[in-house]
Amino acid sequence: MPEAMRIRAVEKDGMVDARVQIRHDMESGSRRNEAGEIVPAWYITRFWVQVDGREVFSAQLGPGVSRNPLLHFRFKGARKGQAIVARWEDSRGESREDRGFIE
Amino acid sequence: MASTPDKTMAYDASQRSARASRSHSRRRFLTFFAGAGAAIASLSIWPAAAAGLVRRSFEPDTLEAALQKLGIANAQPSAAIQMLLPDVAEDGAAVQMSLATTLPARRAIVLVRKNRIPLVAEFEFPAGTLPFVATRIKMAEDSEVLALVEADGVWHSARRHVKVTLGGCGG
C-alpha cells in the first residue's frame, strides 16, 4: 500500500507556501537491480492539489523526477484551517489521496 | 437497476479510499464511512480538474524530438524566467531545482537535454497560484536544463547548464 504524503502548508499575508512530499520510488525503467535485471518503469504520472474543491496546483510527472518527489508551490485565496487535499496517480494506475490543513 | 452501477462504483472507490487512508484494522468500520465521503467527493471533483488536459508521454527521445512532440518549436528566450539550480550537482539522483517567472504563466515544462527521457515534468498554475515550483530532478550526466513557460499563449524559455558529479540514472 502506498505510504501517506506529508503535506505542509503555511499561510502568511494571504500567501500559502505549500510543500507536499510523496512516497514513491519513481523507477525510471533504466535502473538495474542486484541481479542485473532492468527494474520496470513505475512512476507517478499525475499530481493534483485542491483547497475547498478549487484546484491550486497540478502536474504531470515523469521518471525524471527524483524518488520520493517533493513539490513546493505557492497560492493565494486560502486561509488558515482550510483543508488541503493532494492526490496522485502512478503509471500502474495506483493512486493515493491525503489531506492536510493550512497552518 | 439504474442505480446499481453507481452504487458499485461508490463502493469500490470507498474501499480503495478506505484502504488508502488508514491501515489500522480496528478503525476499519469508521474508516469505511469516512472513506465513502472522501470517495464521493473525489468522483465528483477530481475528473473536472483533468478537463482540457493534454496528456504528456515520457519516452526516450532527443531534446529536439521531445520539444516537437510538445508542439513547442520556437520558444522565446526570456530573462523573466529565474531558474535556480546548482552549478555542480554532486548527486544526479536528486538535483534541487526551482523555477519562477514574472510572466503571467499558467504552465511550465522542464526538460533535461542529456537524459534518456528529456521531459521531466509539466506544472500547471491555476489562477491565484504563483508561477513558481520547486522540486528535485534526476540528471544522468552534465547537461543543459531547459525551462519553458507559457504566458498569453506564447512559450518562453530559459536554460542552465549543470555539471553532475555522480549520474542519477536520469529517467
Side-chain angles (χ1 to χ4, degrees), chain B residues 118-141:
Chain B
L119 179 58
V120 173
E122 175 167 7
F123 306 99
E124 288 164 71
F125 314 114
T129 296
L130 265 64
F132 159 82
V133 64
T135 190
R136 292 188 295 240
I137 63 173
K138 294 177 199 168
M139 293 187 68
E141 56 183 299

Side-chain angles (χ1 to χ4, degrees), chain B residues 45-132:
Chain B
I45 294 168
W46 297 108
L53 175 81
V54 182
R55 277 272 180 186
R56 303 303 188 189
S57 60
F58 296 86
E59 297 162 343
D61 259 327
T62 60
L63 179 75
E64 285 70 23
L67 288 172
Q68 199 167 29
K69 286 180 188 168
L70 290 165
I72 306 168
N74 293 308
Q76 318 254 341
S78 171
I81 301 169
Q82 295 86 44
M83 294 172 77
L84 273 180
L85 279 154
D87 293 329
V88 179
E90 291 196 358
D91 180 8
V95 181
Q96 180 67 37
M97 177 216 78
S98 83
L99 171 62
T101 178
T102 50
L103 298 166
R106 303 307 292 272
R107 65 181 66 237
I109 293 177
V110 174
L111 301 107
V112 175
R113 179 181 286 275
K114 296 282 187 69
N115 279 4
R116 191 175 64 97
I117 301 170
L119 179 58
V120 173
E122 175 167 7
F123 306 99
E124 288 164 71
F125 314 114
T129 296
L130 265 64
F132 159 82

Side-chain angles (χ1 to χ4, degrees), chain A residues 36-56:
Chain A
E37 301 151 340
I38 292 275
V39 180
W42 181 21
Y43 54 91
I44 299 211
T45 53
R46 287 287 284 144
F47 175 69
W48 302 264
V49 182
Q50 291 186 345
V51 172
D52 243 351
R54 173 173 73 97
E55 187 171 309
V56 294

Side-chain angles (χ1 to χ4, degrees), chain A residues 2-6 20-29 31 34 39-40 42-44 61-71 88, chain B residues 91-97 115 120-121 134-139 167-171:
Chain A
E3 282 182 61
M5 283 176 261
R6 285 189 204 158
V20 179
Q21 169 101 62
I22 304 170
R23 296 280 159 190
H24 202 286
D25 283 347
M26 300 295 283
E27 287 291 354
S28 68
R31 194 176 70 85
E34 294 82 354
V39 180
W42 181 21
Y43 54 91
I44 299 211
L61 309 181
V65 175
S66 301
R67 184 169 181 270
N68 295 333
L70 176 66
L71 280 305
W88 57 253
Chain B
D91 180 8
V95 181
Q96 180 67 37
M97 177 216 78
N115 279 4
V120 173
T135 190
R136 292 188 295 240
I137 63 173
K138 294 177 199 168
M139 293 187 68
C169 204

